[in-house]
């Protein structure tokens, strides 16, 4: 295994246990396979009541192991665990958590875990009462004390009509946390503020001027920084993606709200990363009631005023040692011209780094992938990345970790 588990192939065992969230384990297996890893599913009998073996075999591209008494000649009950670089159990039920805490090995998954020296990551999923039951609380404490990484659970809608803590966190977050377990915590203790999403400028109580930023890129940066040990504060503008459980978040709507939130969070931040798509202008006035076409006829003019440039302001007032990073979203098709626009923009904004990404109808905004060139304040290229938004996030954070 190298510095980048994302790029080196790992042998990952995904344990799936019997809860309704087992269907979401398919997403975990898929994300690991897409990241290039060799994934072996060990499912309990109960898990296979919720999800079919063919689905798991097709997605993992490997046979699914369930039975302690199959492949006995290959001593499979220990071989799977011994060969694993990483074990991820998602979902982990209260029952499985209790068995892990007690060191029970009455099924293939229990044997696999006991026979392995690989890091273990579990994503609990159960009803709130079970999660908060003193037995589960004690079992989780035991597992944590042994170095097991516990992802979540998230707070949200559960299987029935109830909601609360107990929902399995989303597959992408489980995978990011799991892969990060194998990484050095190279951002430990760094206080990082990340903005994500697109600001909206109200026209009236029902309408706004906005942009198509989903928040995926900023949230991926926040999550990647948190799993690498940073203390992360996410400021989310109208996010269309779930916020990872491992980051604190403040939600904002407009550019002025974002500016205020960033100004106070930046006071104690070592690094500020502005991935949010910020409106340069806002309506000069906001109508108190819905704008009526009957009053305006065929044409309606809007008077807009400039918003503050948050990034430029941060760069101007930064403390010694504070690192300010911006993104540049440009539609320029020519790569060389795009770079020149980026160079001019970093000179204007004064940030330490600028990640230039081309955006368009089907590029950059709201997609799962991104392609960036990272410039330093002299306009020199310090990093180029193309791939998933989480891989872009990790490459950006590699630059930060190296520059420390
Ligand atoms: O959210 P996704 O769907 O995943 O899409 C990601 C993204 C394409 C939005 C993201 O990668 C990105 O490019 N974010 C910056 C978008 C943007 O506002 O670019 P800009 O070139 O207009 O602004 C340059 C920089 O100045 C940005 O860091 C921006 O946050 C900042 N800015 C802009 C205007 C303003 N008034 N204040 C600012 O701080």
């Amino acid at each position: 295994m190298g510095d980048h588990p994302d790029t080196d192939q790992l042998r990952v065992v995904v344990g799936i246990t019997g809860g309704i969230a087992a269907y979401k384990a398919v997403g975990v297996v898929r994300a690991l396979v897409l990241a290039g890893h060799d994934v072996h599913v060990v499912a309990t009998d109960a898990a296979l009541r919720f999800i079919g073996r063919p689905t798991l075999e097709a997605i993992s591209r490997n046979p699914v192991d369930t039975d302690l008494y199959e492949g006995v000649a290959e001593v499979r009950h220990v071989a799977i665990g011994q060969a694993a670089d990483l074990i991820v159990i998602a979902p982990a039920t209260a029952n499985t958590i209790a068995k892990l805490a007690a060191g029970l090995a009455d099924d293939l998954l229990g044997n696999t875990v006991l026979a392995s020296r690989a890091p273990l990551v579990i994503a609990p999923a159960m009803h709130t009462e079970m999660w908060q039951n003193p037995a589960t609380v004690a079992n989780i404490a035991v597992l944590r004390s042994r170095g097991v990484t516990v992802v979540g659970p998230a707070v949200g809608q559960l299987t029935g009509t109830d909601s609360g803590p107990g929902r399995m966190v989303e597959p992408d977050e489980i995978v990011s946390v799991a892969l990060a377990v194998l990484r050095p915590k190279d951002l430990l203790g760094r206080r990082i503020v990340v903005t994500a999403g697109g600001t909206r400028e109200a026209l009236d109580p029902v309408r706004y001027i906005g942009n198509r930023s989903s928040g995926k890129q900023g949230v991926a940066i926040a999550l990647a920084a948190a799993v690498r040990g940073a203390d992360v504060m996410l400021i989310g503008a109208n996010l269309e993606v779930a916020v990872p459980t491992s980051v604190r978040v403040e939600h904002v709507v407009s550019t002025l709200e974002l500016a205020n939130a960033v100004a106070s969070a930046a006071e104690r931040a070592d690094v500020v990363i502005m991935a949010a798509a910020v409106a340069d202008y806002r309506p000069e006035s906001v109508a108190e009631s819905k704008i009526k076409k009957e009053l305006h006829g065929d044409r309606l003019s809007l008077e807009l005023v400039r918003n503050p440039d948050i990034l430029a302001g941060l760069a101007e007032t930064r403390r010694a040692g504070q690192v300010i990073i911006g993104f540049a979203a440009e539609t320029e098709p020519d790569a060389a011209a795009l770079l020149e626009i980026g160079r001019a923009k970093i000179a204007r904004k004064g940030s330490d780094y600028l990640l230039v990404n081309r955006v368009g109808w089907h590029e950059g905004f709201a997609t799962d992938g991104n392609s960036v060139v990272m410039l330093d304040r002299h306009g020199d290229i310090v990093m180029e990345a193309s791939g998933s938004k989480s891989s872009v996030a990790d490459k950006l954070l590699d630059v930060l970790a190296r520059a420390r």
Side-chain angles (χ1 to χ4, degrees), residues 296-325:
H296 295 278
D298 289 342
R299 278 175 180 273
L300 170 65
S301 299
L302 294 172
E303 197 71 40
L304 303 177
V305 293
R306 270 295 277 273
N307 269 326
D309 190 321
I310 304 170
L311 182 65
L314 283 169
E316 210 176 294
T317 57
R318 71 169 160 256
R319 299 190 315 272
Q322 195 177 41
V323 180
I324 309 295
I325 302 177

PDB file of all heavy atoms in Angstrom, residues 296-325:
ATOM      1  N   HIS A 296     -45.973  44.591 -14.744  1.00  0.00           N
ATOM      2  CA  HIS A 296     -44.764  44.868 -15.519  1.00  0.00           C
ATOM      3  C   HIS A 296     -44.907  44.662 -17.014  1.00  0.00           C
ATOM      4  O   HIS A 296     -44.046  45.100 -17.769  1.00  0.00           O
ATOM      5  CB  HIS A 296     -43.610  44.004 -14.986  1.00  0.00           C
ATOM      6  CG  HIS A 296     -43.225  44.362 -13.596  1.00  0.00           C
ATOM      7  ND1 HIS A 296     -42.395  45.413 -13.298  1.00  0.00           N
ATOM      8  CD2 HIS A 296     -43.595  43.833 -12.405  1.00  0.00           C
ATOM      9  CE1 HIS A 296     -42.249  45.513 -11.997  1.00  0.00           C
ATOM     10  NE2 HIS A 296     -42.974  44.570 -11.434  1.00  0.00           N
ATOM     11  N   GLY A 297     -45.922  43.972 -17.424  1.00  0.00           N
ATOM     12  CA  GLY A 297     -46.110  43.769 -18.858  1.00  0.00           C
ATOM     13  C   GLY A 297     -45.082  42.807 -19.434  1.00  0.00           C
ATOM     14  O   GLY A 297     -44.663  41.862 -18.775  1.00  0.00           O
ATOM     15  N   ASP A 298     -44.602  43.085 -20.667  1.00  0.00           N
ATOM     16  CA  ASP A 298     -43.736  42.145 -21.374  1.00  0.00           C
ATOM     17  C   ASP A 298     -42.271  42.220 -20.963  1.00  0.00           C
ATOM     18  O   ASP A 298     -41.481  41.358 -21.304  1.00  0.00           O
ATOM     19  CB  ASP A 298     -43.820  42.396 -22.887  1.00  0.00           C
ATOM     20  CG  ASP A 298     -45.172  41.952 -23.420  1.00  0.00           C
ATOM     21  OD1 ASP A 298     -45.844  41.167 -22.707  1.00  0.00           O
ATOM     22  OD2 ASP A 298     -45.559  42.399 -24.512  1.00  0.00           O
ATOM     23  N   ARG A 299     -41.871  43.269 -20.312  1.00  0.00           N
ATOM     24  CA  ARG A 299     -40.461  43.405 -19.922  1.00  0.00           C
ATOM     25  C   ARG A 299     -40.347  43.719 -18.444  1.00  0.00           C
ATOM     26  O   ARG A 299     -41.151  44.464 -17.892  1.00  0.00           O
ATOM     27  CB  ARG A 299     -39.794  44.546 -20.690  1.00  0.00           C
ATOM     28  CG  ARG A 299     -39.365  44.126 -22.060  1.00  0.00           C
ATOM     29  CD  ARG A 299     -38.819  45.285 -22.829  1.00  0.00           C
ATOM     30  NE  ARG A 299     -38.428  44.841 -24.131  1.00  0.00           N
ATOM     31  CZ  ARG A 299     -37.227  44.331 -24.409  1.00  0.00           C
ATOM     32  NH1 ARG A 299     -36.311  44.270 -23.488  1.00  0.00           N
ATOM     33  NH2 ARG A 299     -36.951  43.915 -25.621  1.00  0.00           N
ATOM     34  N   LEU A 300     -39.303  43.160 -17.865  1.00  0.00           N
ATOM     35  CA  LEU A 300     -39.039  43.453 -16.453  1.00  0.00           C
ATOM     36  C   LEU A 300     -37.537  43.673 -16.314  1.00  0.00           C
ATOM     37  O   LEU A 300     -36.734  42.813 -16.714  1.00  0.00           O
ATOM     38  CB  LEU A 300     -39.472  42.267 -15.578  1.00  0.00           C
ATOM     39  CG  LEU A 300     -39.060  42.295 -14.119  1.00  0.00           C
ATOM     40  CD1 LEU A 300     -39.722  43.441 -13.379  1.00  0.00           C
ATOM     41  CD2 LEU A 300     -39.423  40.980 -13.440  1.00  0.00           C
ATOM     42  N   SER A 301     -37.137  44.812 -15.812  1.00  0.00           N
ATOM     43  CA  SER A 301     -35.707  45.070 -15.620  1.00  0.00           C
ATOM     44  C   SER A 301     -35.363  44.904 -14.160  1.00  0.00           C
ATOM     45  O   SER A 301     -36.130  45.331 -13.284  1.00  0.00           O
ATOM     46  CB  SER A 301     -35.363  46.497 -16.042  1.00  0.00           C
ATOM     47  OG  SER A 301     -35.672  46.653 -17.396  1.00  0.00           O
ATOM     48  N   LEU A 302     -34.228  44.312 -13.922  1.00  0.00           N
ATOM     49  CA  LEU A 302     -33.764  44.157 -12.542  1.00  0.00           C
ATOM     50  C   LEU A 302     -32.527  45.005 -12.353  1.00  0.00           C
ATOM     51  O   LEU A 302     -31.610  44.945 -13.175  1.00  0.00           O
ATOM     52  CB  LEU A 302     -33.387  42.692 -12.269  1.00  0.00           C
ATOM     53  CG  LEU A 302     -34.505  41.665 -12.308  1.00  0.00           C
ATOM     54  CD1 LEU A 302     -33.917  40.264 -12.202  1.00  0.00           C
ATOM     55  CD2 LEU A 302     -35.482  41.911 -11.165  1.00  0.00           C
ATOM     56  N   GLU A 303     -32.487  45.755 -11.312  1.00  0.00           N
ATOM     57  CA  GLU A 303     -31.287  46.539 -10.990  1.00  0.00           C
ATOM     58  C   GLU A 303     -30.456  45.709 -10.018  1.00  0.00           C
ATOM     59  O   GLU A 303     -30.952  45.298  -8.961  1.00  0.00           O
ATOM     60  CB  GLU A 303     -31.722  47.852 -10.334  1.00  0.00           C
ATOM     61  CG  GLU A 303     -30.657  48.932 -10.304  1.00  0.00           C
ATOM     62  CD  GLU A 303     -30.358  49.525 -11.686  1.00  0.00           C
ATOM     63  OE1 GLU A 303     -31.324  49.740 -12.463  1.00  0.00           O
ATOM     64  OE2 GLU A 303     -29.180  49.756 -11.968  1.00  0.00           O
ATOM     65  N   LEU A 304     -29.215  45.408 -10.409  1.00  0.00           N
ATOM     66  CA  LEU A 304     -28.370  44.582  -9.543  1.00  0.00           C
ATOM     67  C   LEU A 304     -27.218  45.410  -8.989  1.00  0.00           C
ATOM     68  O   LEU A 304     -26.726  46.317  -9.662  1.00  0.00           O
ATOM     69  CB  LEU A 304     -27.808  43.396 -10.333  1.00  0.00           C
ATOM     70  CG  LEU A 304     -28.827  42.475 -11.012  1.00  0.00           C
ATOM     71  CD1 LEU A 304     -28.107  41.377 -11.811  1.00  0.00           C
ATOM     72  CD2 LEU A 304     -29.762  41.843  -9.990  1.00  0.00           C
ATOM     73  N   VAL A 305     -26.782  45.054  -7.793  1.00  0.00           N
ATOM     74  CA  VAL A 305     -25.620  45.739  -7.208  1.00  0.00           C
ATOM     75  C   VAL A 305     -24.549  44.692  -6.898  1.00  0.00           C
ATOM     76  O   VAL A 305     -24.859  43.516  -6.693  1.00  0.00           O
ATOM     77  CB  VAL A 305     -25.987  46.528  -5.920  1.00  0.00           C
ATOM     78  CG1 VAL A 305     -26.894  47.683  -6.249  1.00  0.00           C
ATOM     79  CG2 VAL A 305     -26.609  45.618  -4.871  1.00  0.00           C
ATOM     80  N   ARG A 306     -23.282  45.147  -6.867  1.00  0.00           N
ATOM     81  CA  ARG A 306     -22.170  44.221  -6.651  1.00  0.00           C
ATOM     82  C   ARG A 306     -22.184  43.646  -5.245  1.00  0.00           C
ATOM     83  O   ARG A 306     -22.436  44.347  -4.269  1.00  0.00           O
ATOM     84  CB  ARG A 306     -20.829  44.955  -6.815  1.00  0.00           C
ATOM     85  CG  ARG A 306     -20.254  44.966  -8.200  1.00  0.00           C
ATOM     86  CD  ARG A 306     -19.847  43.633  -8.734  1.00  0.00           C
ATOM     87  NE  ARG A 306     -18.526  43.197  -8.298  1.00  0.00           N
ATOM     88  CZ  ARG A 306     -17.419  43.525  -8.923  1.00  0.00           C
ATOM     89  NH1 ARG A 306     -17.437  44.310  -9.993  1.00  0.00           N
ATOM     90  NH2 ARG A 306     -16.260  43.084  -8.509  1.00  0.00           N
ATOM     91  N   ASN A 307     -21.917  42.368  -5.156  1.00  0.00           N
ATOM     92  CA  ASN A 307     -21.698  41.741  -3.852  1.00  0.00           C
ATOM     93  C   ASN A 307     -20.241  41.933  -3.455  1.00  0.00           C
ATOM     94  O   ASN A 307     -19.377  42.112  -4.325  1.00  0.00           O
ATOM     95  CB  ASN A 307     -21.992  40.234  -3.949  1.00  0.00           C
ATOM     96  CG  ASN A 307     -23.435  39.910  -3.616  1.00  0.00           C
ATOM     97  OD1 ASN A 307     -24.051  40.567  -2.773  1.00  0.00           O
ATOM     98  ND2 ASN A 307     -23.985  38.906  -4.275  1.00  0.00           N
ATOM     99  N   PRO A 308     -19.949  41.823  -2.166  1.00  0.00           N
ATOM    100  CA  PRO A 308     -18.525  41.884  -1.779  1.00  0.00           C
ATOM    101  C   PRO A 308     -17.785  40.680  -2.346  1.00  0.00           C
ATOM    102  O   PRO A 308     -18.376  39.606  -2.498  1.00  0.00           O
ATOM    103  CB  PRO A 308     -18.575  41.819  -0.246  1.00  0.00           C
ATOM    104  CG  PRO A 308     -19.913  41.273   0.093  1.00  0.00           C
ATOM    105  CD  PRO A 308     -20.836  41.660  -1.029  1.00  0.00           C
ATOM    106  N   ASP A 309     -16.517  40.854  -2.661  1.00  0.00           N
ATOM    107  CA  ASP A 309     -15.695  39.720  -3.085  1.00  0.00           C
ATOM    108  C   ASP A 309     -15.100  39.102  -1.818  1.00  0.00           C
ATOM    109  O   ASP A 309     -14.150  39.633  -1.234  1.00  0.00           O
ATOM    110  CB  ASP A 309     -14.596  40.189  -4.046  1.00  0.00           C
ATOM    111  CG  ASP A 309     -13.893  39.012  -4.685  1.00  0.00           C
ATOM    112  OD1 ASP A 309     -13.658  38.001  -3.976  1.00  0.00           O
ATOM    113  OD2 ASP A 309     -13.591  39.071  -5.890  1.00  0.00           O
ATOM    114  N   ILE A 310     -15.674  37.988  -1.410  1.00  0.00           N
ATOM    115  CA  ILE A 310     -15.294  37.375  -0.120  1.00  0.00           C
ATOM    116  C   ILE A 310     -13.846  36.892  -0.177  1.00  0.00           C
ATOM    117  O   ILE A 310     -13.055  37.131   0.740  1.00  0.00           O
ATOM    118  CB  ILE A 310     -16.246  36.198   0.215  1.00  0.00           C
ATOM    119  CG1 ILE A 310     -17.693  36.671   0.213  1.00  0.00           C
ATOM    120  CG2 ILE A 310     -15.876  35.584   1.568  1.00  0.00           C
ATOM    121  CD1 ILE A 310     -18.723  35.553   0.290  1.00  0.00           C
ATOM    122  N   LEU A 311     -13.497  36.232  -1.279  1.00  0.00           N
ATOM    123  CA  LEU A 311     -12.140  35.668  -1.403  1.00  0.00           C
ATOM    124  C   LEU A 311     -11.091  36.775  -1.362  1.00  0.00           C
ATOM    125  O   LEU A 311     -10.096  36.674  -0.627  1.00  0.00           O
ATOM    126  CB  LEU A 311     -12.043  34.876  -2.716  1.00  0.00           C
ATOM    127  CG  LEU A 311     -10.713  34.186  -2.986  1.00  0.00           C
ATOM    128  CD1 LEU A 311     -10.431  33.102  -1.958  1.00  0.00           C
ATOM    129  CD2 LEU A 311     -10.687  33.582  -4.394  1.00  0.00           C
ATOM    130  N   ALA A 312     -11.327  37.832  -2.137  1.00  0.00           N
ATOM    131  CA  ALA A 312     -10.350  38.932  -2.162  1.00  0.00           C
ATOM    132  C   ALA A 312     -10.235  39.569  -0.776  1.00  0.00           C
ATOM    133  O   ALA A 312      -9.137  39.905  -0.320  1.00  0.00           O
ATOM    134  CB  ALA A 312     -10.764  39.972  -3.203  1.00  0.00           C
ATOM    135  N   GLY A 313     -11.379  39.692  -0.095  1.00  0.00           N
ATOM    136  CA  GLY A 313     -11.373  40.271   1.257  1.00  0.00           C
ATOM    137  C   GLY A 313     -10.578  39.404   2.229  1.00  0.00           C
ATOM    138  O   GLY A 313      -9.800  39.906   3.047  1.00  0.00           O
ATOM    139  N   LEU A 314     -10.756  38.086   2.131  1.00  0.00           N
ATOM    140  CA  LEU A 314     -10.020  37.168   3.016  1.00  0.00           C
ATOM    141  C   LEU A 314      -8.523  37.293   2.774  1.00  0.00           C
ATOM    142  O   LEU A 314      -7.722  37.305   3.707  1.00  0.00           O
ATOM    143  CB  LEU A 314     -10.428  35.716   2.714  1.00  0.00           C
ATOM    144  CG  LEU A 314     -11.775  35.231   3.250  1.00  0.00           C
ATOM    145  CD1 LEU A 314     -12.119  33.885   2.621  1.00  0.00           C
ATOM    146  CD2 LEU A 314     -11.741  35.105   4.766  1.00  0.00           C
ATOM    147  N   ALA A 315      -8.162  37.366   1.469  1.00  0.00           N
ATOM    148  CA  ALA A 315      -6.739  37.437   1.119  1.00  0.00           C
ATOM    149  C   ALA A 315      -6.127  38.730   1.663  1.00  0.00           C
ATOM    150  O   ALA A 315      -4.998  38.738   2.152  1.00  0.00           O
ATOM    151  CB  ALA A 315      -6.576  37.356  -0.391  1.00  0.00           C
ATOM    152  N   GLU A 316      -6.914  39.794   1.604  1.00  0.00           N
ATOM    153  CA  GLU A 316      -6.397  41.098   2.039  1.00  0.00           C
ATOM    154  C   GLU A 316      -6.179  41.151   3.547  1.00  0.00           C
ATOM    155  O   GLU A 316      -5.244  41.780   4.020  1.00  0.00           O
ATOM    156  CB  GLU A 316      -7.426  42.163   1.632  1.00  0.00           C
ATOM    157  CG  GLU A 316      -6.835  43.515   1.341  1.00  0.00           C
ATOM    158  CD  GLU A 316      -7.936  44.439   0.855  1.00  0.00           C
ATOM    159  OE1 GLU A 316      -8.477  44.169  -0.237  1.00  0.00           O
ATOM    160  OE2 GLU A 316      -8.277  45.381   1.598  1.00  0.00           O
ATOM    161  N   THR A 317      -7.057  40.466   4.278  1.00  0.00           N
ATOM    162  CA  THR A 317      -7.013  40.610   5.745  1.00  0.00           C
ATOM    163  C   THR A 317      -6.435  39.377   6.431  1.00  0.00           C
ATOM    164  O   THR A 317      -6.540  39.236   7.635  1.00  0.00           O
ATOM    165  CB  THR A 317      -8.441  40.834   6.293  1.00  0.00           C
ATOM    166  OG1 THR A 317      -9.250  39.712   5.876  1.00  0.00           O
ATOM    167  CG2 THR A 317      -9.049  42.116   5.783  1.00  0.00           C
ATOM    168  N   ARG A 318      -5.826  38.458   5.653  1.00  0.00           N
ATOM    169  CA  ARG A 318      -5.402  37.199   6.292  1.00  0.00           C
ATOM    170  C   ARG A 318      -4.286  37.417   7.295  1.00  0.00           C
ATOM    171  O   ARG A 318      -3.450  38.308   7.140  1.00  0.00           O
ATOM    172  CB  ARG A 318      -4.988  36.176   5.248  1.00  0.00           C
ATOM    173  CG  ARG A 318      -3.701  36.497   4.549  1.00  0.00           C
ATOM    174  CD  ARG A 318      -3.219  35.329   3.733  1.00  0.00           C
ATOM    175  NE  ARG A 318      -2.287  35.805   2.729  1.00  0.00           N
ATOM    176  CZ  ARG A 318      -2.578  35.937   1.446  1.00  0.00           C
ATOM    177  NH1 ARG A 318      -3.762  35.633   1.001  1.00  0.00           N
ATOM    178  NH2 ARG A 318      -1.680  36.390   0.606  1.00  0.00           N
ATOM    179  N   ARG A 319      -4.319  36.549   8.329  1.00  0.00           N
ATOM    180  CA  ARG A 319      -3.267  36.589   9.351  1.00  0.00           C
ATOM    181  C   ARG A 319      -2.006  35.947   8.770  1.00  0.00           C
ATOM    182  O   ARG A 319      -2.070  35.178   7.819  1.00  0.00           O
ATOM    183  CB  ARG A 319      -3.681  35.749  10.562  1.00  0.00           C
ATOM    184  CG  ARG A 319      -4.919  36.191  11.274  1.00  0.00           C
ATOM    185  CD  ARG A 319      -5.048  35.408  12.579  1.00  0.00           C
ATOM    186  NE  ARG A 319      -4.785  33.977  12.407  1.00  0.00           N
ATOM    187  CZ  ARG A 319      -5.712  33.093  12.075  1.00  0.00           C
ATOM    188  NH1 ARG A 319      -6.954  33.475  11.885  1.00  0.00           N
ATOM    189  NH2 ARG A 319      -5.412  31.814  11.954  1.00  0.00           N
ATOM    190  N   ALA A 320      -0.880  36.196   9.437  1.00  0.00           N
ATOM    191  CA  ALA A 320       0.362  35.552   8.996  1.00  0.00           C
ATOM    192  C   ALA A 320       0.175  34.045   9.114  1.00  0.00           C
ATOM    193  O   ALA A 320      -0.331  33.560  10.124  1.00  0.00           O
ATOM    194  CB  ALA A 320       1.515  36.025   9.877  1.00  0.00           C
ATOM    195  N   GLY A 321       0.535  33.342   8.076  1.00  0.00           N
ATOM    196  CA  GLY A 321       0.459  31.876   8.114  1.00  0.00           C
ATOM    197  C   GLY A 321      -0.871  31.305   7.673  1.00  0.00           C
ATOM    198  O   GLY A 321      -0.996  30.111   7.429  1.00  0.00           O
ATOM    199  N   GLN A 322      -1.889  32.161   7.591  1.00  0.00           N
ATOM    200  CA  GLN A 322      -3.205  31.668   7.152  1.00  0.00           C
ATOM    201  C   GLN A 322      -3.171  31.453   5.632  1.00  0.00           C
ATOM    202  O   GLN A 322      -2.623  32.275   4.907  1.00  0.00           O
ATOM    203  CB  GLN A 322      -4.273  32.690   7.515  1.00  0.00           C
ATOM    204  CG  GLN A 322      -5.681  32.149   7.451  1.00  0.00           C
ATOM    205  CD  GLN A 322      -6.711  33.192   7.888  1.00  0.00           C
ATOM    206  OE1 GLN A 322      -6.594  34.382   7.541  1.00  0.00           O
ATOM    207  NE2 GLN A 322      -7.703  32.766   8.646  1.00  0.00           N
ATOM    208  N   VAL A 323      -3.754  30.332   5.191  1.00  0.00           N
ATOM    209  CA  VAL A 323      -3.724  30.010   3.757  1.00  0.00           C
ATOM    210  C   VAL A 323      -5.121  30.188   3.169  1.00  0.00           C
ATOM    211  O   VAL A 323      -6.099  29.652   3.697  1.00  0.00           O
ATOM    212  CB  VAL A 323      -3.246  28.553   3.539  1.00  0.00           C
ATOM    213  CG1 VAL A 323      -3.203  28.211   2.046  1.00  0.00           C
ATOM    214  CG2 VAL A 323      -1.877  28.330   4.167  1.00  0.00           C
ATOM    215  N   ILE A 324      -5.202  30.955   2.089  1.00  0.00           N
ATOM    216  CA  ILE A 324      -6.498  31.239   1.456  1.00  0.00           C
ATOM    217  C   ILE A 324      -6.500  30.627   0.051  1.00  0.00           C
ATOM    218  O   ILE A 324      -5.610  30.895  -0.760  1.00  0.00           O
ATOM    219  CB  ILE A 324      -6.736  32.772   1.347  1.00  0.00           C
ATOM    220  CG1 ILE A 324      -6.520  33.473   2.701  1.00  0.00           C
ATOM    221  CG2 ILE A 324      -8.128  33.065   0.771  1.00  0.00           C
ATOM    222  CD1 ILE A 324      -7.496  33.109   3.795  1.00  0.00           C
ATOM    223  N   ILE A 325      -7.537  29.819  -0.201  1.00  0.00           N
ATOM    224  CA  ILE A 325      -7.602  29.094  -1.478  1.00  0.00           C
ATOM    225  C   ILE A 325      -8.937  29.372  -2.166  1.00  0.00           C
ATOM    226  O   ILE A 325      -9.997  29.290  -1.539  1.00  0.00           O
ATOM    227  CB  ILE A 325      -7.465  27.571  -1.230  1.00  0.00           C
ATOM    228  CG1 ILE A 325      -6.139  27.283  -0.506  1.00  0.00           C
ATOM    229  CG2 ILE A 325      -7.535  26.796  -2.543  1.00  0.00           C
ATOM    230  CD1 ILE A 325      -5.916  25.832  -0.154  1.00  0.00           C
TER     231      ILE A 325
END
